[in-house]
Amino acid sequence: MRTAVMLFTRDLRVHDNPALAAACAADLVVPLYVDDPGRATSPARRRFLAESLADLRGALRGLGADLLVRRGDTVAEVMRVCEAHGAAGVSCADDFGRFESGLRERLRQACDAAGVLLLRTAGVTAVPPGAVLPSGGGDHYKVFTPYWRAWSRTRRRPVEPAPERIPTPDGVNGDDPFAVLDVPPEANARFPGGEGAAADRLDAWAPRAEDYTERSDDLAADATSRLSPYLAFGCLSPRALAADGRLPDAFVRQLCWRDFHYQVLAAFPGLADTAYRGDEDWAEDPGALDAWRRGETGIDIVDAGMRQLLAEGWMPGRARLICAAHLTKTLGLDWRRGEAWFAEHLVDYDEANNAGNWQWTAGTGNDTKPYRRFSHERQAARFDPDGAYRRRWLS
Ligand SMILES: Cc1cc2nc3c(=O)[nH]c(=O)nc-3n(C[C@H](O)[C@H](O)[C@H](O)COP(=O)(O)OP(=O)(O)OC[C@H]3O[C@@H](n4cnc5c(N)ncnc54)[C@H](O)[C@@H]3O)c2cc1C
């Protein structure tokens, strides 16, 4: 094929990017990112995205190419770029969920109508949804432990090196992502975006990773990787990360949880608004919901987590569990309210993992013990025994 469009989505990297590797089989490649208003965003995520695109653009320029950044409907923009450059193919990573599954179908139809070949590859997970299936039948695993066993044994695609060079047609003049994306000045900049920043974070954290098994739930220790925004935007390849020999099994198991929720979302695209199994009769209490959102419930461990979310756009997993359990199991409020609040504030927001974890905590999802109770006193005593985490966020 003479020319292919490489549509970057949530795979903002040049290393181990299967869609980019596939596009590079063409003679010429047009790298493109479309900022689609249909995709959920937030000020902090816009900043992270703009920084990641600027970093990607720099990497592509180093390989002889550039990056077009357009704003609008993805399908319309892709077809416009195909027409402008006479492209015969489009390559992109497969993605899942409410917006992405609709987009996939519309892009397929538009490509079919224009006689353009659409190539969809793996890339947003370590193991793609559908690659491991339960032996008893069904299109996904409903329970984590058997999935983890099958996931650990499955053969993986090879890790792709970055292309050596990306030949690009004349007239591909890249765009400044900050000019196109319009990043609000107040956007939280706690996490610097980009593949370069992801590699720096990983290299800085890897020597401490051996503590992960013991300390990942210790709230004050802040001993988890904080790699989640990089995984959510694909600045880091989950496939390559899962094979990084420096990281303990307990960490790789968390990456498997990430894939687990993706394979649930692929089979059940409505995960963010429809209960996966029977729903509860949730209470309505706008005052209690508002206090929870602002970190003013009066329960220290919950308030500390919720204030960290407002300040950093991020919380450790244990704090997310405690806050989500308080909203759903203690206050009896609808998990969708919490899911939406997290979606608005998390810099690492990811539909599969936000919705999957909210449903798990609420007992409407994939937990095998849906009626489990969380005592905030016990959680605080166990995971913040001397109160250092609470003091950090409440004083
Ligand atoms: C209510 C709730 C909402 C959540 N929403 C999100 C979300 O929107 N985006 C998101 O990426 N994660 C979400 N998580 C999962 C998890 O809390 C975060 O991925 C993790 O805290 C990120 O910090 P880290 O990178 O330091 O994690 P680490 O502990 O260092 O783990 C490494 C990676 O493994 C994955 N991972 C870890 N825990 C989980 C888990 N329970 N489920 C799925 N993947 C996991 C993440 O990609 C994470 O970056 C949510 C969890 C809960 C309980």
Side-chain angles (χ1 to χ4, degrees):
M1 184 189 310
R2 217 175 116 62
T3 304
V5 169
M6 166 60 203
L7 175 63
F8 286 94
T9 52
R10 293 196 310 124
D11 53 346
L12 304 180
R13 60 180 185 270
V14 295
H15 292 93
D16 193 44
N17 187 325
L20 179 61
C24 287
D27 298 333
L28 297 170
V29 179
V30 185
L32 169 68
Y33 181 85
V34 182
D35 178 36
D36 192 320
R39 217 172 250 126
T41 187
S42 73
R45 293 208 294 279
R46 284 196 88 58
R47 170 180 287 279
F48 191 93
L49 174 62
E51 287 173 357
S52 301
L53 291 172
D55 181 79
L56 177 64
R57 186 179 182 206
L60 291 168
R61 282 172 144 182
L63 297 170
D66 208 328
L67 179 66
L68 300 180
V69 184
R70 297 289 145 84
R71 182 159 172 73
D73 171 59
T74 303
V75 176
E77 293 303 323
V78 167
M79 299 325 291
R80 220 191 303 280
V81 171
C82 281
E83 204 179 308
H85 295 282
V90 174
S91 182
C92 65
D94 224 351
D95 207 347
F96 312 92
R98 287 168 299 192
F99 175 76
E100 300 297 340
S101 22
L103 175 64
R104 179 182 357 178
E105 188 47 30
R106 286 197 303 116
L107 190 56
R108 191 188 60 72
Q109 286 172 6
C111 286
D112 281 355
V116 168
L117 181 72
L118 175 64
L119 196 68
R120 304 198 68 111
T121 70
V124 302
T125 53
V127 171
V132 284
L133 290 174
S135 50
D139 58 0
H140 69 293
Y141 277 85
K142 298 184 160 122
V143 176
F144 176 73
T145 308
Y147 178 73
W148 162 238
R149 273 190 234 112
W151 184 93
S152 304
R153 282 195 308 261
T154 191
R155 275 174 69 92
R156 311 283 162 93
R157 63 171 177 78
V159 173
E160 299 280 352
E164 281 174 13
R165 233 190 99 62
I166 305 179
T168 301
D170 292 341
V172 173
N173 300 315
D175 302 290
D176 172 7
F178 281 91
V180 180
L181 259 59
D182 209 6
V183 177
E186 77 281 7
N188 184 334
R190 192 71 59 146
F191 290 83
E195 186 174 10
D200 291 348
R201 173 71 200 155
L202 174 58
D203 288 344
W205 184 72
R208 294 194 280 124
E210 63 188 32
D211 284 355
Y212 183 85
T213 315
E214 293 296 313
R215 301 184 75 200
S216 60
D217 275 327
D218 176 341
L219 287 165
D222 204 359
T224 67
S225 69
R226 287 183 174 246
L227 287 171
S228 48
Y230 302 100
L231 286 161
F233 284 85
C235 304
L236 199 58
S237 152
R239 161 72 186 95
L241 190 61
D244 187 315
R246 295 172 294 177
L247 309 174
D249 262 9
F251 178 86
V252 176
R253 190 180 160 94
Q254 294 312 110
L255 294 178
C256 179
W257 265 110
R258 182 176 183 274
D259 281 7
F260 174 79
H261 291 305
Y262 269 94
Q263 54 101 50
V264 172
L265 183 68
F268 194 79
L271 194 65
D273 37 44
T274 309
Y276 178 81
R277 64 167 120 203
D279 221 343
E280 304 274 324
D281 204 0
W282 302 106
E284 280 292 341
D285 185 340
L289 177 63
D290 203 44
W292 176 83
R293 284 175 172 162
R294 285 184 280 109
E296 291 174 4
T297 63
I299 310 287
D300 284 1
I301 193 75
V302 174
D303 293 346
M306 296 306 289
R307 291 193 203 173
Q308 182 178 12
L309 176 64
L310 292 177
E312 290 202 338
W314 186 88
M315 283 195 244
R318 175 57 53 180
R320 296 183 200 206
L321 263 179
I322 294 169
C323 294
H326 185 72
L327 186 82
T328 55
K329 300 252 161 127
T330 307
L331 299 174
L333 301 183
D334 195 331
W335 57 271
R336 294 168 189 81
R337 305 270 185 276
E339 198 277 341
W341 186 251
F342 274 28
E344 224 176 279
H345 291 274
L346 282 173
V347 66
D348 63 21
Y349 166 69
D350 167 321
E351 187 173 340
N353 289 297
N354 198 42
N357 276 290
W358 268 99
Q359 292 226 36
W360 189 95
T361 316
T364 60
N366 297 86
D367 189 359
T368 47
K369 295 183 192 143
Y371 300 108
R372 102 177 57 224
R373 306 296 307 180
F374 274 80
S375 146
H376 58 80
E377 283 105 347
R378 273 212 307 278
Q379 294 282 316
R382 208 165 147 204
F383 302 114
D384 188 31
D386 60 7
Y389 177 75
R390 281 164 283 174
R391 280 194 301 281
R392 188 179 303 157
W393 292 106
L394 296 179
S395 50

